[in-house]
Amino acid sequence: MKTLLRLSRLILPLFPVMTLAVILGTAGFFCAISIPVLGIEALTRSFPLKFLISAGILRGVLHYAEQYCNHFIAFTLLARIRSLVFEKLRFLGPARLDGKQKGSLISLLTGDIELLELFYAHTISPVCIALLVSVGVIVFLWQFHWLLALIAFLSFVLVGIFVPSFVQHFSIKAGQENRERFSQMNAFLLDCLRGLSQTILFGTGEKRLSMIKRKSEELSDVQKKMTANEGLTAALIEVSVFFCDILMLFAAIFLYQKQIVTFNATVISVAALFSSFGPVIAVARLGSSLSQTVAAGNRVLALLDEKPIVQAVKNGEKITDFTGAECENVSFSYTDASESFNQIEKSQNGDSVGISNPCDNQILSAISLSSPKNRIIGIQGKSGSGKSTLLKLLMRFWDADSGSIKISGKAIQKINTTDLRKTESYVTQETMLFHDTIENNIRIAKLDASHDEIVAACKKASVHDFIQSLPKGYETKVSELGENFSGGERQRLGLARSFLHGSDFLLLDEPTSNLDSFNEKIILESVKAEAQEKTVVLVSHRDSTLEICDEIHKIENGRKC
């Protein structure tokens, strides 16, 4: 109930539409109920058939209008929830998202959010409609006899409340397990697809297939439980409705024999109850299917409840003139961010998930260095020494455990995040390319950049000639993850982004690791030319790469040598 109530709050801006849907749905069901009642009146009395025909036509129109309103609400809210989730991911990343399974996130962004449609389109309005229709039928039967009204009340409670509550007891756990298994399957299949070449290379296909089969069987077992619960729901509904109809029939006959009610009242009361179970049956059938929606809602709300490790600054200080950067006695240990999403996957109640504990190993310890304006600062060290981590701290992807980092003399935690991103450019070891044209992939560094600006940046990155050699040039489509380009080509496109961004502080993490000596020389010359107006921090383990640096700092085991 806590999860459903939180999801319901999102409807408040669309409350007038929801109210209209309930009114239309209630009126539609009353039209449906009136058809057999008016039919009996037409058979026993002089009653115009046009009212009967009008009720049938009006029922169809009202049902369509109700469904239109409900689905308008559902799809509007799903779009809003997707926006909230994407916005949350943007604020959580990259620190809180480090190590999280991308397949699980994809499952949440697609399957889990899509399942909420059942709640918004087929739960809230139908529950209200069932309540109003039930009350209306009970009041209608009360005018004949209180016993008939009581039987109707007990019938609606049995079918609409007791049956779904009973089934929900068995289905809620299966629904949660189904979403977890489905998420795990997505993550595993994504890993298999990304590592397909390695699977073929090392001949591990049979093992992968057996694991897929095992996970499929586990998911199938859970889905069988859910199917069994749905079958149980249907059976209980049919038995309950049959029992209630028989009870009403015998009660009406009994009252007729006692001459308490007329023959017309006997037939009409039975027909009214027989035709009024539609709304409560619709609610009862939600019992088993709603368990998945609750589980999906838990996962979505748990993600929205996540607290970012690094809080974005909106009303802080601005950088008007870049004068350099400085690190003083900086120490840092990574937090186990991957544990966070594992807790989301296991969340059962939608409560916010606690922040994980820091790892024992310290990555950086009392690091101090300065990066003056118009200088190239080299950082050299073995793999795992903390070089890349230092750049992430300068970008404020993480906050240092102790010590201070300043940009233009201002503490990095007090600078507006947007200003910080404009001031800095960061080229990582692995360049992420989107499934779009080459030009649009580079333009993300400066959305209003002209084609000439993009060409100039690509020339600096020594990638212009390569792009021109492609059949469609800058309009060439990049495949998923840039797999139609080599590592060196992706790396040069990443450098082109950095040059286009035009920031004053350039952070380069192994920018030439995938390049041959010829292209490395060209790019380093471009970096050196850029450094006449910018500050560059260049991380590399190659002595040849660091030759352009004005000064070199060596880091070993998180400490400056």
Side-chain angles (χ1 to χ4, degrees):
M1 286 303 299
K2 185 177 180 180
T3 299
L4 297 179
L5 286 173
R6 288 191 62 188
L7 292 173
S8 299
R9 293 193 194 113
L10 295 174
I11 299 177
L12 291 178
L14 297 170
F15 184 75
V17 183
M18 177 61 71
T19 303
L20 179 61
V22 172
I23 293 171
L24 293 170
T26 304
F29 272 110
F30 278 134
C31 285
I33 295 169
S34 69
I35 291 173
V37 173
L38 293 177
I40 294 169
E41 289 286 343
L43 290 174
T44 57
R45 300 180 188 179
S46 177
F47 191 83
L49 288 176
K50 63 181 180 181
F51 290 110
L52 185 63
I53 297 172
S54 298
I57 296 173
L58 192 58
R59 162 59 179 158
V61 173
L62 292 172
H63 181 68
Y64 173 83
E66 177 225 338
Q67 290 297 306
Y68 182 89
C69 291
N70 282 333
H71 285 86
F72 171 81
I73 292 169
F75 295 134
T76 301
L77 290 179
L78 291 190
R80 173 167 165 71
I81 291 170
R82 288 191 187 96
S83 297
L84 290 173
V85 169
F86 276 113
E87 185 179 359
K88 188 68 177 184
L89 290 174
R90 185 165 65 89
F91 284 109
L92 290 177
R96 182 59 88 181
L97 300 181
D98 253 6
K100 292 185 178 181
Q101 290 184 314
K102 300 303 181 286
S104 294
L105 284 174
I106 292 171
S107 175
L108 187 148
L109 289 167
T110 55
D112 287 341
I113 292 178
E114 194 63 30
L115 276 173
L116 298 182
E117 186 265 344
L118 174 68
F119 175 67
Y120 291 119
H122 305 288
T123 302
I124 301 177
S125 173
V127 168
C128 296
I129 291 169
L131 179 62
L132 292 175
V133 171
S134 299
V135 171
V137 172
I138 291 169
V139 171
F140 176 72
L141 294 177
W142 186 274
Q143 66 178 324
F144 298 124
H145 196 271
W146 65 265
L147 180 60
L148 302 178
L150 178 62
I151 292 174
F153 170 77
L154 295 176
S155 300
F156 295 144
V157 169
L158 175 63
V159 177
I161 298 178
F162 284 170
V163 169
S165 298
F166 177 76
V167 175
Q168 186 77 0
H169 178 72
F170 299 99
S171 60
I172 188 69
K173 185 176 180 180
Q176 292 167 344
E177 189 177 357
N178 179 67
R179 297 316 304 161
E180 291 173 12
R181 297 285 187 190
F182 185 75
S183 173
Q184 292 167 10
M185 172 67 84
N186 272 5
F188 185 73
L189 288 177
L190 185 61
D191 280 343
C192 289
L193 290 173
R194 285 179 173 176
L196 188 59
S197 58
Q198 299 299 313
T199 301
I200 295 171
L201 177 63
F202 294 107
T204 58
E206 291 297 327
K207 183 179 179 181
R208 284 279 172 177
L209 283 173
S210 64
M211 293 175 71
I212 291 173
K213 183 179 180 181
R214 178 172 59 81
K215 289 181 177 294
S216 297
E217 290 174 349
E218 291 173 351
L219 180 60
S220 178
D221 289 341
V222 177
Q223 290 175 339
K224 286 177 181 177
K225 291 179 184 177
M226 296 183 65
T227 302
N229 289 333
E230 290 175 3
L232 176 63
T233 303
L236 289 175
I237 289 173
E238 295 297 330
V239 170
S240 300
V241 169
F242 176 77
F243 172 77
C244 294
D245 286 342
I246 293 298
L247 182 61
M248 175 61 81
L249 178 61
F250 282 121
I253 292 173
F254 172 78
L255 293 174
Y256 173 69
Q257 289 176 342
K258 295 291 185 179
Q259 297 184 350
I260 298 175
V261 297
T262 65
F263 178 76
N264 256 20
T266 302
V267 178
I268 288 174
S269 60
V270 173
L273 183 67
F274 280 23
S275 59
S276 63
F277 277 111
V280 290
I281 288 176
V283 172
R285 291 187 184 279
L286 292 172
S288 55
S289 55
L290 198 59
S291 61
Q292 279 200 84
T293 303
V294 173
N298 284 340
R299 286 164 51 83
V300 172
L301 292 174
L303 179 66
L304 293 176
D305 286 339
E306 277 263 32
K307 303 297 181 184
I309 292 177
V310 176
Q311 294 285 351
V313 180
K314 294 182 179 179
N315 299 312
E317 299 183 31
K318 296 181 179 180
I319 301 176
T320 54
D321 182 28
F322 179 77
T323 59
E326 184 178 358
C327 299
E328 184 176 350
N329 293 322
V330 172
S331 297
F332 177 73
S333 298
Y334 277 111
T335 56
D336 188 7
S338 62
E339 182 65 22
S340 171
F341 192 63
N342 291 335
Q343 292 179 26
I344 288 180
E345 288 183 314
K346 296 175 182 177
S347 175
Q348 305 247 337
N349 55 15
D351 292 335
S352 59
V353 185
I355 296 177
S356 50
N357 295 322
C359 296
D360 294 333
N361 60 312
Q362 194 170 45
I363 306 299
L364 295 173
S365 178
I367 292 289
S368 296
L369 60 86
S370 62
S371 305
K373 190 175 181 179
N374 304 336
R375 301 272 288 179
I376 302 178
I377 308 300
I379 299 178
Q380 189 177 32
K382 297 179 181 178
S383 178
S385 60
K387 308 184 302 297
S388 299
T389 298
L390 183 59
L391 297 190
K392 292 178 181 179
L393 293 178
L394 286 167
M395 286 292 297
R396 202 171 173 247
F397 289 168
W398 302 78
D399 279 331
D401 296 336
S402 61
S404 66
I405 299 176
K406 295 181 179 180
I407 305 291
S408 297
K410 301 173 182 177
I412 199 170
Q413 293 89 348
K414 296 182 180 180
I415 299 172
N416 286 330
T417 302
T418 52
D419 285 298
L420 190 65
R421 297 290 181 262
K422 289 177 182 178
T423 302
E424 298 177 325
S425 288
Y426 180 35
V427 179
T428 59
Q429 297 180 34
E430 294 293 332
T431 300
M432 170 63 199
L433 297 179
F434 298 95
H435 185 47
D436 203 342
T437 63
I438 291 176
E439 182 163 335
N440 286 339
N441 263 282
I442 298 171
R443 185 175 275 119
I444 66 169
K446 186 181 178 183
L447 296 178
D448 60 348
S450 66
H451 178 73
D452 291 339
E453 288 178 295
I454 293 173
V455 170
C458 289
K459 287 180 177 178
K460 288 181 182 180
S462 187
V463 74
H464 172 71
D465 292 339
F466 161 72
I467 295 173
Q468 289 292 78
S469 69
L470 299 172
K472 294 185 179 180
Y474 282 86
E475 293 302 313
T476 301
K477 281 278 188 178
V478 177
S479 66
E480 186 178 9
L481 301 178
E483 291 178 349
N484 55 337
F485 296 132
S486 68
E489 290 159 356
R490 292 197 298 269
Q491 202 164 30
R492 281 182 284 166
L493 290 172
L495 280 165
R497 284 176 176 168
S498 180
F499 290 141
L500 180 65
H501 191 53
S503 58
D504 295 318
F505 193 24
L506 193 58
L507 307 175
L508 306 178
D509 189 1
E510 300 282 4
T512 60
S513 59
N514 293 318
L515 301 179
D516 54 54
S517 57
F518 176 74
N519 280 304
E520 180 186 36
K521 184 179 179 181
I522 295 174
I523 287 173
L524 291 177
E525 288 176 354
S526 297
V527 171
K528 191 169 184 178
E530 286 282 303
Q532 294 177 6
E533 300 177 353
K534 304 178 186 299
T535 298
V536 179
V537 175
L538 177 58
V539 167
S540 180
H541 63 278
R542 291 183 183 178
D543 291 330
S544 60
T545 304
L546 297 174
E547 286 179 356
I548 66 168
C549 297
D550 297 308
E551 56 182 283
I552 299 174
H553 301 273
K554 293 188 176 181
I555 296 179
E556 186 174 336
N557 297 325
R559 294 179 180 273
K560 214 174 141 184
C561 299

